[in-house]
């Protein structure tokens, strides 16, 4: 199973719970991506240097090929794991990077998009509250609302077999819902 969605959607929390329930490994791309990014010449230091030189948005665009590469590598190296893909790993301005991620995720029948709510404004509000509570950051950088942009970006929903809404639902119940959804998706594939 691969979980996609914006920052603070619960991908890591729910991914770990689902992996435990399924008896699979859990992989958070944020924990492993830099080794894959290094394969194409990117490091955290380089990203921070580019941020200082050209600003956050431009540095994010320059880093897109490395993020797309990291997704492809993570999916191929961890085929039986539950993987949490950070927000930036399904949000690209470069169509070639988006296509690379589409191809990497296409064979995975249980890609699930996580959002708090079907209402985008409610999702942004909940995600911002979670981000500030957990990280002390509202993710409005250089005048751009990154949380709103990630919620609005169509790629995560496009690559997913389903979207699960978590606002007002506890992590345990959401994890159970994801496991049941996975069983349905795999049964449909087998039929």
């Amino acid at each position: 199973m691969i979980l996609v969605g914006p920052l603070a959607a619960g991908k890591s929390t729910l991914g770990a719970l689902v992996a435990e329930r399924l008896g699979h490994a859990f992989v958070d791309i944020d924990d492993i991506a830099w080794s894959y990014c290094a394969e194409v010449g990117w490091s955290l230091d380089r990203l921070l240097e580019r941020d200082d030189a050209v600003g956050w948005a431009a540095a994010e665009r320059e880093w897109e090929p490395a993020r797309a590469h990291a997704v492809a590598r993570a999916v191929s190296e961890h085929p039986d794991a539950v993987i949490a893909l950070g927000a930036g790993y399904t949000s690209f301005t470069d169509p070639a990077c988006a296509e690379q991620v589409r191809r990497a995720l296409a064979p995975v029948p249980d890609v699930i998009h996580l959002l708090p709510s079907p209402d985008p404004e409610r999702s942004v509000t909940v995600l911002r509250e979670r981000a500030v509570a957990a990280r002390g950051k509202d993710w409005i950088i250089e005048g751009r609302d990154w949380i709103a942009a990630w919620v609005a970006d169509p790629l995560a929903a496009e690559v997913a077999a389903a979207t699960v809404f978590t606002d007002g639902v506890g992590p345990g119940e959401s994890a159970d819902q994801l496991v049941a959804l996975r069983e349905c998706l795999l049964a449909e594939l087998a039929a």
Side-chain angles (χ1 to χ4, degrees):
M1 175 180 284
I2 298 177
L3 300 176
V4 298
L7 175 113
K11 300 176 300 293
S12 298
T13 299
L14 295 177
L17 291 171
V18 168
E20 181 180 306
R21 283 164 169 74
L22 296 175
H24 290 266
F26 171 65
V27 175
D28 189 327
I29 199 164
D30 290 337
D31 295 336
I32 62 169
W34 288 113
S35 63
Y36 299 138
C37 290
E39 295 171 354
V40 292
W42 277 87
S43 67
L44 179 57
D45 288 340
R46 179 177 177 195
L47 178 61
L48 295 174
E49 287 170 8
R50 295 305 300 151
D51 176 24
D52 288 343
V54 298
W56 181 253
E60 280 284 308
R61 281 190 301 277
E62 290 177 13
W63 183 40
E64 286 184 2
R67 291 197 319 266
H69 174 78
V71 170
R73 295 280 282 125
V75 171
S76 70
E77 284 195 7
H78 303 281
D80 295 321
V82 175
I83 302 173
L85 294 184
Y89 293 91
T90 55
S91 183
F92 299 94
T93 59
D94 182 342
C97 293
E99 183 56 31
Q100 182 178 359
V101 169
R102 276 188 203 91
R103 283 192 315 274
L105 298 179
V108 181
D110 51 349
V111 176
I112 308 298
H113 183 212
L114 295 178
L115 281 174
S117 169
D119 174 22
E121 288 181 29
R122 174 71 183 151
S123 285
V124 170
T125 298
V126 170
L127 295 168
R128 188 167 334 280
E129 289 170 358
R130 291 177 185 172
V132 169
R135 300 178 182 175
K137 186 172 182 177
D138 67 5
W139 286 88
I140 298 174
I141 303 171
E142 299 169 356
R144 181 172 184 194
D145 186 336
W146 287 88
I147 292 174
W150 287 322
V151 167
D153 193 303
L155 184 60
E158 179 186 321
V159 298
T163 299
V164 171
F165 303 106
T166 61
D167 191 19
V169 182
E173 187 179 340
S174 291
D176 290 341
Q177 181 182 4
L178 289 168
V179 169
L181 178 56
R182 178 181 189 267
E183 290 172 7
C184 290
L185 292 170
L186 295 179
E188 287 175 9
L189 184 66

